Amino acid sequence: ESAGEETQIGQAQEQARELEAQLAEVRTKLAGLDLRSGIAGVVTTPEVSQRAGLYLHSGETFAVVADQQELKARLLVIDRDLQYVQRGSEVKLKLRAFPFRTFRGRVAEIMPAAAVERPVDERLRPERYGQDLTNYFSVIVTLPNPQGLLREGMTGEAKVYAPARPGAWQVGRGLGRWARSIAWW
């Protein structure tokens, strides 16, 4: 009987080792189910908690994580002023969410074609025979965001600073635009 008990004990120990190996494998697989971002940032996917438990196919997006240390803003610049906007130009931005703060950035990119969108607050809208006579171009600005105050979708107003020009040039530019509008229309 003692030989039979030793055999049972040996089998039980072997079973325990197999179960421990299976448990270690399950724990490894379970740890692999945790989703981790490759960057530090903020989850920008709305209601991401409701997506927990969903089956995802290979390569499918679960959530979007954005690094918000430096953000990009898209400005719409009227076509007649686009000639004064240059890559690297200083930009000051006032947001409706922070009316007493000024955010500073630099022009990173000027899009090569007119934008389909129009500014939210379009004050001057010249048209002729029902057709808009003004186009806007998207200008991409990079803004440092060390305090994390800036968020996607915020609106406001911006000033893009062109190289300094003498006062006579400024007056001449205004008179030139006025003369052009009289001579061509």
Side-chain angles (χ1 to χ4, degrees):
E1 209 173 273
S2 91
E5 285 179 7
E6 285 181 21
T7 304
Q8 284 181 341
I9 291 173
Q11 288 175 345
Q13 288 175 339
E14 181 62 32
Q15 252 184 344
R17 281 191 290 273
E18 286 177 19
L19 290 173
E20 284 177 15
Q22 288 177 1
L23 180 61
E25 184 179 342
V26 167
R27 285 183 175 150
T28 301
K29 287 181 178 179
L30 186 60
L33 293 176
D34 287 343
L35 295 177
R36 291 185 178 84
S37 171
I39 62 168
V42 177
V43 175
T44 61
T45 306
E47 302 173 4
V48 73
S49 61
Q50 292 179 1
R51 295 182 51 102
L54 291 179
Y55 177 80
L56 299 175
H57 296 283
S58 178
E60 190 174 349
T61 301
F62 175 75
V64 176
V65 177
D67 178 7
Q68 293 190 334
Q69 290 300 306
E70 181 176 88
L71 294 182
K72 290 185 178 183
R74 186 175 58 90
L75 310 178
L76 293 173
V77 176
I78 197 165
D79 55 3
R80 71 173 179 250
D81 290 337
L82 193 63
Q83 63 184 324
Y84 307 114
V85 177
Q86 299 173 6
R87 205 174 233 181
S89 294
E90 181 184 5
V91 176
K92 290 183 181 177
L93 189 66
K94 286 271 191 190
L95 299 174
R96 288 190 174 95
F98 301 104
F100 302 109
R101 289 192 76 153
T102 301
F103 297 91
R104 297 173 188 272
R106 296 263 172 213
V107 172
E109 191 174 356
I110 302 167
M111 294 294 134
V116 176
E117 301 90 357
R118 294 284 184 243
V120 175
D121 184 18
E122 191 176 16
R123 293 184 182 110
L124 182 62
R125 189 174 185 175
E127 60 178 55
R128 186 173 198 180
Y129 304 118
Q131 182 177 357
D132 284 340
L133 297 177
T134 303
N135 283 322
Y136 293 88
F137 285 79
S138 292
V139 173
I140 307 301
V141 175
T142 56
L143 299 157
N145 188 26
Q147 296 171 331
L149 297 174
L150 302 174
R151 299 272 189 257
E152 183 179 331
M154 289 182 157
T155 59
E157 293 183 7
K159 287 184 180 181
V160 179
Y161 289 85
R165 307 278 185 178
W169 184 88
Q170 300 281 352
V171 171
R173 180 181 86 162
L175 288 173
R177 283 185 178 168
W178 175 79
R180 230 182 353 200
S181 71
I182 298 299
W184 287 97
W185 310 116

